[in-house]
Amino acid sequence: FRGAIQAAMKAVYGPLAEIAVGGTAVIVVSSMLLSKAGQPTMINAVVLVVVCLAMALYSILMNLSLLELPFFLWGIVFDSTNSRLFLLLFWSLNVAASIAFGVFVSTTGQSSTMHRKFFHLTVSLIYVSGLFFDRDFIWLSGWLMICIFVIIEVFRFFKVPPWKEQLNDFLLVFKDEQDSAVLLTPIFLLFGVFLPLFLSPNSKSPNLYHLAGVAAVGVGDSVAAIIGSKFGITRWPRRKKTVEGSLAMTVAIAMFLTMARPFCVFHASSCLLIVFVSLVLAAIEAFTENVDNIILPIVGYLLL
């Protein structure tokens, strides 16, 4: 019975995620062309048209009329179960905390490493709660969140009125040294945390490897950055990163995975393997300048 429910959910969630990703790709390509043509304002119209076409396509795939679609989507989100309601409430609190924190920091005009890592915490909390209590829904939510962040960055990067000023005021204060003109760090953060679930959505969940992104990016990288910036003294050769930060990352990942292991359905990962993975991830983080939010979860996923 549970398998039948999951199959039904995949039949509903899968096409929605695919349409969202495809529509986002169309928006990105169209925005590039319109920006080169000196028509950034038209990007608003493109987004509106793509959203409308996506809704029409999804309604066709689900054999629904456009009038029925809003009620159908409402039912996808609010499925009348207490677990979903509490989960949505918890996620909403994390989103609200992230927005409030972002507004507060943006008013100061500067951000620290600890400020930027706050978002690692909220994203990780959303992912872990969804992984353990509503795996299929968090899978869908992950894809939709990435699409939303990509579209937000399109508005900001291509200076689309009337959004450009507000988005720059809110986002540029959190710009990481790894970012160029395009702010990819928030998108890579989301993708890195959710990547293990994207790679293994059909396996019995949660497995320890599903937590590789949280361990590497949400916990390890955050601890390394905070400890390294506050207490780091000894730097790795020809690197800005410190030995103290790497050691802290190793310990943090090992502790997190060890504590999470009893709650996972498959205990193949031994404590020795967890220590090995922690050391490998810390070493990669220490000697990787860019896209570690993607590389670390992939390596952790493969090793676990």
Side-chain angles (χ1 to χ4, degrees), residues 85-155:
L85 183 62
F86 286 126
L87 200 59
L88 290 172
L89 177 61
F90 180 69
W91 292 356
S92 299
L93 290 174
N94 278 276
V95 172
S98 298
I99 294 174
F101 184 76
V103 171
F104 169 75
V105 175
S106 64
T107 57
T108 66
Q110 59 181 357
S111 66
S112 65
T113 298
M114 188 171 295
H115 289 149
R116 288 191 292 271
K117 299 308 176 183
F118 178 81
F119 301 105
H120 289 231
L121 172 64
T122 53
V123 170
S124 297
L125 288 174
I126 289 173
Y127 174 78
V128 171
S129 60
L131 179 68
F132 279 91
F133 295 105
D134 203 334
R135 182 192 63 187
D136 293 329
F137 190 58
I138 193 61
W139 176 88
L140 172 65
S141 301
W143 282 116
L144 295 181
M145 282 191 287
I146 291 171
C147 291
I148 290 171
F149 269 72
V150 170
I151 294 172
I152 289 174
E153 180 56 18
V154 164
F155 283 143

Side-chain angles (χ1 to χ4, degrees), residues 11-21 54 58 61-62 73 76 140 144:
V12 173
Y13 293 167
L16 183 56
E18 292 169 0
I19 291 173
V21 172
Y58 188 65
L61 293 176
M62 295 295 106
L73 294 175
I76 290 178
L140 172 65
L144 295 181

Side-chain angles (χ1 to χ4, degrees), residues 138-187:
I138 193 61
W139 176 88
L140 172 65
S141 301
W143 282 116
L144 295 181
M145 282 191 287
I146 291 171
C147 291
I148 290 171
F149 269 72
V150 170
I151 294 172
I152 289 174
E153 180 56 18
V154 164
F155 283 143
R156 190 205 65 82
F157 178 74
F158 291 112
K159 302 177 181 178
V160 180
W163 320 104
K164 58 180 181 179
E165 298 297 335
Q166 293 86 345
L167 291 176
N168 277 328
D169 290 342
F170 185 83
L171 295 174
L172 285 182
V173 69
F174 295 102
K175 185 176 181 179
D176 191 271
E177 60 182 9
Q178 297 179 4
D179 286 314
S180 57
V182 183
L183 299 181
L184 293 176
T185 299
I187 299 170

Side-chain angles (χ1 to χ4, degrees), residues 19-264:
I19 291 173
V21 172
T24 302
V26 171
I27 290 172
V28 171
V29 174
S30 301
S31 299
M32 294 172 62
L33 297 175
L34 287 171
S35 179
K36 289 182 179 180
Q39 298 290 335
T41 305
M42 291 299 296
I43 295 176
N44 289 306
V46 169
V47 173
L48 180 60
V49 170
V50 169
V51 170
C52 291
L53 291 176
M55 293 176 64
L57 177 58
Y58 188 65
S59 65
I60 292 173
L61 293 176
M62 295 295 106
N63 294 317
L64 299 168
S65 69
L66 286 175
L67 292 177
E68 294 173 317
L69 184 60
F71 301 99
F72 183 77
L73 294 175
W74 178 272
I76 290 178
V77 177
F78 300 96
D79 65 354
S80 301
T81 62
N82 289 332
S83 60
R84 176 66 63 81
L85 183 62
F86 286 126
L87 200 59
L88 290 172
L89 177 61
F90 180 69
W91 292 356
S92 299
L93 290 174
N94 278 276
V95 172
S98 298
I99 294 174
F101 184 76
V103 171
F104 169 75
V105 175
S106 64
T107 57
T108 66
Q110 59 181 357
S111 66
S112 65
T113 298
M114 188 171 295
H115 289 149
R116 288 191 292 271
K117 299 308 176 183
F118 178 81
F119 301 105
H120 289 231
L121 172 64
T122 53
V123 170
S124 297
L125 288 174
I126 289 173
Y127 174 78
V128 171
S129 60
L131 179 68
F132 279 91
F133 295 105
D134 203 334
R135 182 192 63 187
D136 293 329
F137 190 58
I138 193 61
W139 176 88
L140 172 65
S141 301
W143 282 116
L144 295 181
M145 282 191 287
I146 291 171
C147 291
I148 290 171
F149 269 72
V150 170
I151 294 172
I152 289 174
E153 180 56 18
V154 164
F155 283 143
R156 190 205 65 82
F157 178 74
F158 291 112
K159 302 177 181 178
V160 180
W163 320 104
K164 58 180 181 179
E165 298 297 335
Q166 293 86 345
L167 291 176
N168 277 328
D169 290 342
F170 185 83
L171 295 174
L172 285 182
V173 69
F174 295 102
K175 185 176 181 179
D176 191 271
E177 60 182 9
Q178 297 179 4
D179 286 314
S180 57
V182 183
L183 299 181
L184 293 176
T185 299
I187 299 170
F188 284 169
L189 167 62
L190 278 171
F191 197 75
V193 169
F194 281 86
L195 187 57
L197 183 59
F198 292 160
L199 293 174
S200 296
N202 297 319
S203 61
K204 192 174 181 181
S205 184
N207 284 292
L208 196 59
Y209 57 72
H210 282 122
L211 295 170
V214 175
V217 179
V219 177
D221 182 67
S222 299
V223 171
I226 293 172
I227 297 299
S229 62
K230 294 290 184 181
F231 307 104
I233 298 175
T234 308
R235 298 191 181 276
W236 292 104
R238 296 187 295 276
R239 290 290 183 272
K240 296 180 180 180
K241 298 173 182 178
T242 66
V243 174
E244 291 82 1
S246 298
L247 291 175
M249 179 176 181
T250 302
V251 173
I253 293 176
M255 290 180 61
F256 173 77
L257 291 176
T258 300
M259 290 187 293
R261 184 171 176 265
F263 299 97
C264 295

